[in-house]
Amino acid sequence: MQAFITRETLPSLPPPSTLKGPIAWMRQNLFSSVGNTIVTVVLVLAILAALIPFINWAFIKADWIGSSRDDCTSGGACWVFVYVHLKLFMVGLYPEAETWRVLLVGMILVVTLAGLMIKGVPFKKYLQLFALIAFPIIAFMLLSGGSFGLPHVETNFWGGLLLTLVIAIVGIVAAFPLGILLALGRRSSMPIVKAICVVFIEVWRGVPLITVLFMSSVMLPLFLPEGMEFDKLLRALVGITLFQSAYLAEVVRSGLQAIPKGQYEAANALGLTFWQGMYKVILPQALKIVIPGIVNSFISLFKDTSLVLIIGLFDLLATIQGAFASPKWLGYAIEGYLFAALVYWVFCFGMSRYSQRVERSLKTTN
Amino acid sequence: METATQTKPEIAISLRDVNKWYGEFDVLKNVNLDVERGQRIVICGPSGSGKSTMIRCINRLEEHQSGQIIVDGIELNNDLKNIDQIRREVGMVFQHFNLFPHLTVLENCCLAPMWVRKIPRKEAEATAMEYLERVKIPHQAKKFPGQLSGGQQQRVAIARSLCMKPRIMLFDEPTSALDPEMIKEVLDTMIELAESGMTMLCVTHEMGFAKTVADAVIFMDAGQIIEMNTPDEFFNHPQHERSKLFLSQILGH
Ligand SMILES: Nc1ncnc2c1ncn2[C@@H]1O[C@H](COP(=O)(O)OP(=O)(O)OP(=O)(O)O)[C@@H](O)[C@H]1O
Ligand SMILES: [Mg+2]
């Protein structure tokens, strides 16, 4: 008797072509019945009816380049407004001659982030150290100046996207370790530590960010000794960091709660100290669970940075609003807001996609 | 290890009048026990009798409230240094393995040696591979715990503990979360370990294991050690009514 036996498992065959491809997908999902077909057609027409005038206005009939509102003659969107003010929107009143410093910081940031995110880049560990320790110092020295022959640029002149990013990044990076410490403190068995953390978290979570900013800007100087001046931006940064850390603490705490008791016990039984166990065993697992929540709170912080307008800091949104409120450019609010929306969206969407990628890569390793 | 050369205590673990309460509930009542170095002891008893609590007091996963526990010549008290020192010398294997799911098998085994004993990575990995070899899963070293069967996970957990080169091993029902066909592979690993001279305290209801390797069987009920005897005596001539009842229940099935 003879039999044929494969020595290896055969790769599975691709599905028959009627089952895949865009046409098959549309047939299955959009045109599977008469009713479905009608709904599809109606919806497509409705979308087109709304979209075509917008595309027409925003792209086809739009004016892109010029130097004043007189260059906007086609009746569509006047992107000249954005074009003319681009420097203002990006760096605020940062001196023209010094803007290369902002560009340089931006470039270092982009290269560093790319190096951290792209797989297979060597020396990741050193890159991380650079990003967390060296970069903030370099960025501050470049942006603020006052040493190495660079003229000092007061933070009053920082504005636009530059200011938005400075606030968001500092807020995110500084709030992260603080939030973790608060979360651990809230779960501590030491009553005083626990009480301090609970009070801190609940107080900061209970007040709106506007109040925090207002207090840090108006109230704080009242408590400080006469003549002592704190940089306005610094005060806002401290307020935002503390505010954000309280939110983050609650997100992290929910992750800590999801870790089974056995993990703590195994870490203890192996002789790891509390901090070693946290660092190597508990936090990597807990933070992974709450990545969506962490990114969520970062995204909302990013958007909330626009509130600094009320204490007289001119971030991206504020500079745009300022520009279309000037008599020369009255009436171009829509272009301004659309541009602001686009910039905010690019950053928030980027964060969201990156977090999804991190989540996926963690899932496959585990 | 300085303690070994100085005193070399014959007694590895000693419990003196140990009491523990959960609120009003008296979990351990005046427990006295001496375990000699190299002794293998099996602890059995009905559910809720305090077996886990007792062995978890030995490495301070639970705190006892009165009495004295001396492990390897060091007294367990509120001195964190003592606790750290004892935990280094005492390995523990849990019912639910408690492997670290985000680390590979090899990383699970190297973590404590590298961080607690400060052994360089290369050396820690070599030792880990040695022990993984001993529990017969060296080829799974690069996998994550979630990719292994229960029996394999428990063997990794044993290897992970052994990588710290402990002088005492505690087992808390290491086979009771396993499917029947995997129990044997874990028991074989434990028998091999017992034959190598390790001091072992095992909470288990695997009476075959007790008969093969145990020097003594302890029967606990309601927070007390009711009976401590050689396996032979304990299984053939139990002294107490409660031991008899317990044996008839677990051997009856
Ligand atoms: N954290 C706790 N709080 C209150 N009571 C507890 C706690 N842990 C255990 N107990 C009680 O202490 C008693 C002894 O528990 P222990 O886990 O030591 O029993 P055991 O002999 O190991 O039982 P099993 O065979 O079910 O594992 C039980 O009655 C249990 O309900
Ligand atoms: Mg138990």
Side-chain angles (χ1 to χ4, degrees):
Chain A
M1 215 171 93
Q2 262 195 342
F4 292 98
I5 297 168
T6 54
R7 283 171 202 284
E8 289 146 38
T9 34
L10 295 169
S12 41
L13 296 169
S17 56
T18 47
L19 290 181
K20 65 169 199 184
I23 297 192
W25 183 88
M26 286 206 284
R27 204 173 280 160
Q28 267 173 20
N29 292 292
L30 300 180
F31 302 104
S32 59
S33 68
V34 179
N36 250 347
T37 308
I38 293 172
V39 172
T40 302
V41 170
V42 169
L43 282 179
V44 166
L45 287 178
I47 291 170
L48 285 181
L51 218 52
I52 287 176
F54 176 77
I55 291 174
N56 208 6
W57 173 83
F59 299 102
I60 297 169
K61 279 167 66 182
D63 293 291
W64 297 86
I65 293 176
S67 55
S68 77
R69 65 185 301 160
D70 300 333
D71 295 315
C72 290
T73 48
S74 324
C78 179
W79 299 119
V80 176
F81 168 69
V82 174
Y83 177 81
V84 167
H85 293 102
L86 201 55
K87 194 228 137 208
L88 178 74
F89 296 167
M90 291 298 111
V91 298
L93 300 176
Y94 208 88
E96 188 92 54
E98 307 295 329
T99 42
W100 63 270
R101 283 151 56 174
V102 181
L103 272 179
L104 185 59
V105 169
M107 263 152 47
I108 300 175
L109 181 67
V110 168
V111 170
T112 312
L113 285 183
L116 285 175
M117 288 177 195
I118 295 169
K119 280 204 188 99
V121 174
F123 308 118
K124 275 252 154 86
K125 209 168 207 169
Y126 298 103
L127 208 53
Q128 279 168 358
L129 283 180
F130 174 81
L132 281 178
I133 296 165
F135 176 75
I137 299 171
I138 294 174
F140 177 77
M141 302 241 275
L142 272 172
L143 291 178
S144 177
S147 50
F148 296 110
L150 295 172
H152 179 53
V153 180
E154 275 195 51
T155 54
N156 289 347
F157 295 104
W158 303 16
L161 183 63
L162 165 67
L163 189 71
T164 298
L165 287 178
V166 165
I167 295 171
I169 293 174
V170 171
I172 287 168
V173 173
F176 195 63
L178 200 57
I180 291 175
L181 286 180
L182 283 169
L184 293 178
R186 190 164 190 172
R187 286 168 57 84
S188 167
S189 53
M190 289 177 271
I192 296 181
V193 174
K194 185 177 170 146
I196 291 173
C197 291
V198 170
V199 169
F200 182 96
I201 292 171
E202 293 307 333
V203 165
W204 285 93
R205 281 206 316 158
V207 281
L209 183 56
I210 290 207
T211 320
V212 172
L213 289 171
F214 202 69
M215 299 263 268
S216 71
S217 154
V218 179
M219 304 275 288
L220 197 65
L222 298 183
F223 297 114
L224 289 174
E226 193 87 22
M228 197 166 152
E229 273 272 358
F230 252 131
D231 189 87
K232 188 156 64 173
L233 176 59
L234 186 63
R235 274 179 286 162
L237 286 177
V238 171
I240 285 179
T241 301
L242 296 179
F243 179 84
Q244 180 70 3
S245 67
Y247 273 90
L248 214 53
E250 288 301 282
V251 177
V252 173
R253 191 169 68 102
S254 72
L256 290 172
Q257 259 159 355
I259 304 300
K261 218 171 120 226
Q263 294 289 308
Y264 292 88
E265 289 178 351
N268 283 339
L270 282 168
L272 296 171
T273 63
F274 173 81
W275 292 108
Q276 287 172 338
M278 276 300 153
Y279 177 56
K280 297 303 289 184
V281 176
I282 306 299
L283 282 175
Q285 298 182 61
L287 293 180
K288 191 179 99 185
I289 299 174
V290 295
I291 287 175
I294 291 175
V295 174
N296 212 12
S297 77
F298 285 168
I299 287 179
S300 68
L301 169 69
F302 190 85
K303 293 188 287 190
D304 282 350
T305 53
S306 54
L307 293 174
V308 295
L309 170 66
I310 65 140
I311 57 167
L313 291 172
F314 288 89
D315 74 322
L316 176 65
L317 193 62
T319 49
I320 291 175
Q321 284 172 332
F324 66 63
S326 85
K328 269 203 296 187
W329 288 96
L330 275 180
Y332 291 114
I334 297 178
E335 284 86 345
Y337 280 126
L338 273 177
F339 179 69
L342 179 72
V343 175
Y344 279 105
W345 180 80
V346 164
F347 281 96
C348 293
F349 185 67
M351 279 197 267
S352 158
R353 295 305 299 205
Y354 180 63
S355 84
Q356 280 171 19
R357 224 187 72 186
V358 171
E359 254 179 279
R360 235 178 293 128
S361 79
L362 287 173
K363 211 170 270 166
T364 49
T365 58
N366 192 335
Chain B
M1 286 164 210
E2 319 93 80
T3 47
T5 48
Q6 280 167 10
T7 49
K8 187 142 200 159
E10 269 302 290
I11 303 293
I13 303 169
S14 150
L15 278 68
R16 287 277 157 275
D17 297 321
V18 171
N19 278 284
K20 174 165 182 65
W21 290 267
Y22 282 121
E24 291 283 289
F25 179 60
D26 204 354
V27 206
L28 294 180
K29 300 171 196 161
N30 284 324
V31 172
N32 283 287
L33 174 67
D34 282 315
V35 182
E36 286 167 26
R37 187 157 300 295
Q39 251 192 337
R40 281 89 51 157
I41 293 187
V42 163
I43 302 160
C44 61
S47 181
S49 56
K51 307 177 298 286
S52 301
T53 308
M54 184 175 81
I55 69 164
R56 288 157 60 86
C57 280
I58 293 171
N59 65 352
R60 225 347 131 95
L61 289 185
E62 305 285 354
E63 201 175 327
H64 63 286
Q65 272 116 29
S66 77
Q68 204 181 25
I69 300 180
I70 298 176
V71 183
D72 218 29
I74 306 162
E75 176 164 6
L76 261 180
N77 46 29
N78 286 328
D79 191 342
L80 287 178
K81 248 200 242 121
N82 286 2
I83 297 175
D84 282 343
Q85 209 170 342
I86 286 173
R87 283 179 176 165
R88 258 177 243 190
E89 305 304 333
V90 179
M92 185 164 203
V93 175
F94 301 86
Q95 181 175 359
H96 296 288
F97 332 134
N98 296 352
L99 292 175
F100 306 134
H102 61 302
L103 300 177
T104 63
V105 165
L106 190 63
E107 288 165 342
N108 262 280
C109 292
C110 293
L111 184 67
M114 282 169 58
W115 285 78
V116 180
R117 293 220 189 271
K118 315 283 182 218
I119 292 170
R121 174 184 292 273
K122 280 256 161 59
E123 204 179 308
E125 283 181 354
T127 314
M129 286 311 292
E130 227 170 84
Y131 282 109
L132 288 173
E133 206 108 19
R134 238 176 98 178
V135 302
K136 306 197 174 58
I137 29 181
H139 37 280
Q140 317 277 23
K142 290 275 175 304
K143 288 196 183 168
F144 287 91
Q147 298 167 303
L148 304 184
S149 74
Q152 290 173 325
Q153 290 192 43
Q154 193 60 298
R155 283 183 286 149
V156 171
I158 295 173
R160 178 176 72 176
S161 285
L162 293 178
C163 284
M164 282 294 283
K165 308 235 163 107
R167 295 151 70 82
I168 298 166
M169 285 287 286
L170 308 173
F171 292 82
D172 191 359
E173 308 208 29
T175 55
S176 45
L178 296 175
D179 291 336
E181 72 269 21
M182 294 171 187
I183 291 179
K184 187 173 174 300
E185 61 187 57
V186 171
L187 286 181
D188 285 346
T189 309
M190 289 169 61
I191 290 171
E192 204 212 296
L193 184 64
E195 282 162 356
S196 75
M198 176 70 75
T199 311
M200 286 166 71
L201 248 72
C202 307
V203 176
T204 180
H205 292 159
E206 293 295 330
M207 293 307 150
F209 174 77
K211 284 176 190 160
T212 327
V213 300
D215 299 303
V217 177
I218 289 177
F219 175 72
M220 283 186 79
D221 193 15
Q224 285 173 307
I225 295 181
I226 305 286
E227 183 167 350
M228 178 165 177
N229 227 326
T230 60
D232 231 18
E233 280 294 304
F234 179 72
F235 290 115
N236 298 325
H237 314 287
Q239 303 292 310
H240 289 263
E241 281 310 310
R242 279 186 275 180
S243 335
K244 280 178 200 164
L245 181 68
F246 175 74
L247 280 175
S248 73
Q249 277 169 347
I250 62 162
L251 298 178
H253 299 294

